[in-house]
Amino acid sequence: MNRMDKAEFIEEIRKELGESPFLLLTDFKGVTVQEMDNVRRAVEKAGARFRVVKNTLCRKALEGTGKATLSAHFKGNIGVVVSGEDPIATAKVCRSLLKENAKLQVRAAFFEGDVLDAKAADAVADLPSREELLGTLLATLEAAPRQVLQVIQAPARDLLYLLNNYASKLEEAGQ
């Protein structure tokens, strides 16, 4: 790789890593090419990307960014999973891939400004997905008007029940 290629790679990686809300650094020692291809295809379905990177170039790309604390983890064989718009979906896919393939090991992860270890990265997968959060938000937004409507309708409904009970008592007394 000549200097121009390295400079382009550094800028590309800086942009890609900088925009990603979730990063997962994996050690892939002993993983076959077929298994690596399966990992790539699985994370692509979640809108993420898996790449094997050059450590020194990634350390340079991370300099001056909010993710510079990850630089210490770029040693040896390293693969980086870069999430797309939904970091939780990426974390869930990665957790299932790590369970299927014991050769893949988590070195570190980056989520919400923090460097995470393997257990914390696994905990990210337990968070609700974007769709679940949007559903909860929608249910919360719908609940308030529904409750206001119930309060407005309550006096009329209660009066109707009272009149129906009074009418049934009059019918019973008349029989």
Side-chain angles (χ1 to χ4, degrees):
M1 214 183 245
N2 63 28
R3 285 182 185 235
M4 292 288 286
D5 291 339
K6 288 180 182 179
E8 288 176 17
F9 179 80
I10 289 171
E11 284 306 312
E12 178 185 336
I13 287 293
R14 179 175 286 140
K15 181 180 178 192
E16 192 172 323
L17 298 182
E19 292 175 354
S20 176
F22 178 74
L23 298 174
L24 186 72
L25 306 181
T26 61
D27 186 356
F28 59 89
K29 191 174 186 178
V31 178
T32 65
V33 173
Q34 182 64 38
E35 291 169 335
M36 289 291 280
D37 193 45
N38 291 340
V39 169
R40 281 189 178 93
R41 299 303 158 247
V43 296
E44 284 175 358
K45 289 178 184 175
R49 185 173 179 193
F50 179 83
R51 353 178 20 160
V52 175
V53 294
K54 290 187 173 262
N55 295 334
T56 54
L57 297 179
C58 278
R59 280 186 287 235
K60 287 182 182 181
L62 289 173
E63 288 175 0
T65 67
K67 298 175 181 166
T69 53
L70 277 177
S71 294
H73 298 284
F74 282 95
K75 296 175 184 168
N77 295 334
I78 197 101
V80 180
V81 177
V82 180
S83 74
E85 291 182 17
D86 191 359
I88 307 304
T90 301
K92 289 180 181 188
V93 168
C94 289
R95 179 171 53 183
S96 67
L97 289 171
L98 292 168
K99 285 181 181 177
E100 292 172 10
N101 192 340
K103 295 175 190 172
L104 281 173
Q105 299 294 320
V106 175
R107 281 211 189 152
F110 189 88
F111 182 65
E112 295 291 321
D114 294 325
V115 176
L116 309 173
D117 62 355
K119 287 184 181 179
D122 191 41
V124 171
D126 292 332
L127 296 172
S129 69
R130 183 175 189 269
E131 288 78 21
E132 292 169 341
L133 288 174
L134 288 174
T136 303
L137 177 64
L138 181 61
T140 303
L141 292 174
E142 287 180 343
R146 188 176 304 131
Q147 290 173 349
V148 169
L149 184 61
Q150 288 174 350
V151 168
I152 292 171
Q153 291 176 340
R157 182 183 58 234
D158 292 345
L159 179 63
L160 180 64
Y161 289 148
L162 178 71
L163 292 176
N164 283 338
N165 286 338
Y166 186 69
S168 42
K169 283 187 181 182
L170 287 178
E171 285 178 11
E172 288 175 9
Q175 288 180 351

